[in-house]
Amino acid sequence: GSVEIYKEGVDGEENVILAMRRSGDFFGEMALLENSPRFATARVAADSHLLELSKAAFISLLYEIPIVAFEIMGVLAARLRQADLQSIKDLKDKNASLENVGRQLEESNYRLVRTKKFLEKIISVSPDIVVVTDRNGTIYIYNKAAQEIYGHNYEEVRGKNVRMLHSPNCPPETLKALESSLGSNETFTGEIL
């Protein structure tokens, strides 16, 4: 027959099939050899005849017929080699996948940099005042029109709060509307003294 050896998925993930054991194969030996709980689960994949050995019977068999121990070691060595080769293949596949993701990130980053430079050029030549802040009101974009009207260059306002640009005579409701827009990550459009 045939028996599927699998590891149960965690948190709803699918089961991972580790191996198929066919006629004449054995499984479950790790629990007998290591004195530890089973690492995986087995389920019959086709009609099968199984022989179950207790630990005592298994140890007795190894003492009485030592060649069985050598046969088991040979099979385990072949399985270990197979697992190593599979691990190497999996690592190569993951490496290739990571390299692909890295290339995509580089391309995206390149496009973002180009887009940023393009937008900065548009903003810098805009006849309208453009001041861009984060949610806290910290200035990080400040165009030439803003420099001409406010009289501060970019280095003087960069990283400072937008309140430094407001006149004491600016209506409080306008400032509240501005702060509300910033707080909700929206664009404020209006006149500020």
Side-chain angles (χ1 to χ4, degrees), residues 74-164:
V75 171
L76 292 179
R79 288 180 184 174
L80 186 57
R81 185 179 305 110
Q82 177 75 28
D84 287 347
L85 292 173
Q86 186 62 47
S87 293
I88 291 168
K89 181 189 175 303
D90 291 346
L91 286 172
K92 284 182 179 178
D93 290 348
K94 286 181 181 172
N95 245 3
S97 179
L98 284 173
E99 286 173 4
N100 187 32
V101 168
R103 278 192 298 277
Q104 289 174 356
L105 283 173
E106 284 179 21
E107 289 171 14
S108 294
N109 192 37
Y110 174 73
R111 286 194 303 270
L112 282 172
V113 168
R114 283 187 53 203
T115 302
K116 181 179 181 263
K117 286 180 181 177
F118 178 69
L119 289 174
E120 284 174 351
K121 284 180 184 177
I122 291 173
I123 289 170
S124 70
V125 297
S126 172
D128 296 321
I129 296 170
V130 178
V131 178
V132 180
T133 70
D134 63 12
R135 284 183 172 203
N136 299 319
T138 305
I139 298 169
Y140 65 90
I141 294 177
Y142 182 83
N143 73 347
K144 288 181 183 174
Q147 290 178 41
E148 290 172 13
I149 296 298
Y150 289 116
H152 300 290
N153 65 36
Y154 177 67
E155 293 305 316
E156 292 174 309
V157 299
R158 181 181 58 169
K160 300 218 171 113
N161 194 285
V162 73
R163 288 188 194 103
M164 74 171 285

Side-chain angles (χ1 to χ4, degrees), residues 51-66:
L51 173 65
E52 180 182 359
L53 286 177
S54 67
K55 182 164 184 153
F58 178 69
I59 299 298
S60 175
L61 179 67
L62 296 181
Y63 276 114
E64 291 173 21
I65 312 173

